[in-house]
Amino acid sequence: MKIIHTSDWHLGHQLHGYNRDYEHQAFLDWLADELEAQQADALLVAGDIFDTANPPASAWRMLYRFLAKVSKALPNLDVVMIGGNHDSPSKLDAPHELLKAFDLHMVGGIHRLEDGTLDVKRMLVPITNKDKQTAAYVLAVPFLRSADLRTDNLDENEDRLIKGVEVLYSDMTQAARELLAPEQAMIGMGHAYMASGQLSEMSERRVLGGNQHALPASIFADDMSYVALGHLHLAQKVAKKEHVRYSGSPIPLSMSERNYPHQF
């Protein structure tokens, strides 16, 4: 399978008062053409789709126009999008059922069942190959806020936020393993600040409480084939692991990022 990983689009962004719609539209047009040229099987968008929790209507139109274009050109393309710290979980989740009907999966926030257990089915997204067979499951875990985490019954010496994230990813991983056939892959997603990540101070901020809450790469199980991360705008590996990566942002989002290699 060919899977494209991108993140941190920040649609609706303004730089020193200048609207970025032209640049974003140019990127989305290019991405749509590239998906078709590459004959991609799946597109993973790892958070911060929008720049604010209340993006302008023009940003929503830009997103829906892009999704309609790629769905028409590539009817078998699976698209998995997760919310980032800039996104509103409820707004991203609102069109979930409609988009899902077109193999477009948008997971804005964490959902739990009535008994408080994690709704893993909502965040475990199957993606199919060219034979329309399920070839992988994506752990579509959006940006995690402290209220999303269960930190009861933890050792008082443990960092409650980091441990809460570890427990959530462990639950998701175990649920995926129960579904996986031997020939199927497991792919992780996340929007977080990972330990040793290079940060752009002008346009990114440390999340989950600060630098002391940088997450270790060990939250991702060794049997994950790839981990698609968002939040840091400089494309980079995490903990020297080839398969755990930030894609970086597609365009510079501050003056300090103008010399970054912007890519997917």
Side-chain angles (χ1 to χ4, degrees):
M1 296 184 72
K2 184 169 288 186
I3 300 171
I4 302 291
H5 163 208
T6 178
S7 73
D8 294 273
W9 293 357
H10 288 267
L11 301 181
H13 179 251
Q14 292 191 350
L15 183 61
H16 299 292
Y18 287 91
N19 189 291
R20 313 295 299 282
D21 283 358
Y22 179 87
E23 295 162 279
H24 276 126
Q25 190 60 60
F27 162 67
L28 291 176
D29 289 343
W30 175 85
L31 179 58
D33 291 343
E34 195 70 14
L35 288 166
E36 190 170 4
Q38 297 275 358
Q39 286 297 294
D41 297 294
L43 173 68
L44 308 183
V45 187
D48 280 355
I49 300 163
F50 297 112
D51 191 55
T52 65
N54 293 296
S58 60
W60 280 104
R61 283 196 300 271
M62 197 177 294
L63 174 64
Y64 287 145
R65 191 163 53 236
F66 167 78
L67 293 176
K69 183 177 182 179
V70 297
S71 294
K72 185 175 182 179
L74 296 164
N76 294 325
L77 178 74
D78 290 305
V79 178
V80 185
M81 313 178 83
I82 60 171
N85 58 300
H86 282 251
D87 297 310
S88 163
S90 60
K91 286 184 172 64
L92 290 192
D93 281 335
H96 172 79
E97 294 301 326
L98 174 63
L99 295 178
K100 184 179 177 182
F102 298 94
D103 290 325
L104 307 172
H105 302 268
M106 191 179 291
V107 181
I110 292 295
H111 292 260
R112 293 186 180 274
L113 305 176
E114 291 184 3
D115 61 359
T117 58
L118 198 62
D119 186 359
V120 294
K121 289 183 179 179
R122 185 179 176 89
M123 294 183 291
L124 276 178
V125 181
I127 55 177
T128 56
N129 57 23
K130 288 177 174 58
D131 296 324
K132 297 185 179 181
Q133 297 175 328
T134 299
Y137 281 90
V138 176
L139 281 66
V141 179
F143 172 67
L144 298 172
R145 293 165 171 82
S146 57
D148 296 324
L149 307 175
R150 292 293 181 265
T151 56
D152 301 330
N153 304 318
L154 298 183
D155 190 302
E156 62 180 16
N157 295 320
E158 294 179 304
D159 186 296
R160 300 179 73 82
L161 289 177
I162 291 179
K163 189 62 179 179
V165 174
E166 289 178 342
V167 168
L168 190 144
Y169 268 99
S170 177
D171 290 346
M172 288 293 299
T173 302
Q174 186 56 41
R177 285 174 179 153
E178 292 173 4
L179 291 176
L180 285 170
E183 69 278 6
Q184 294 171 337
M186 178 166 51
I187 299 170
M189 287 187 80
H191 190 93
Y193 176 43
M194 304 300 298
S196 78
Q198 291 180 254
L199 193 71
S200 165
E201 295 290 351
M202 291 180 68
S203 63
E204 301 158 8
R205 60 178 180 268
R206 294 183 173 91
V207 292
L208 264 187
N211 189 37
Q212 70 271 25
H213 292 112
L215 298 171
S218 59
I219 66 172
F220 305 117
D222 291 338
D223 52 342
M224 287 187 183
S225 299
Y226 186 76
V227 180
L229 294 171
H231 181 55
L232 299 190
H233 298 167
L234 174 63
Q236 56 193 283
K237 294 181 289 187
V238 172
K240 299 181 179 179
K241 295 179 180 291
E242 289 289 336
H243 71 293
V244 183
R245 288 180 177 265
Y246 288 99
S247 66
S249 62
I251 65 173
L253 294 159
S254 73
M255 298 304 291
S256 67
E257 298 175 20
R258 64 191 182 278
N259 295 319
Y260 283 6
H262 294 277
Q263 61 179 54
F264 63 41

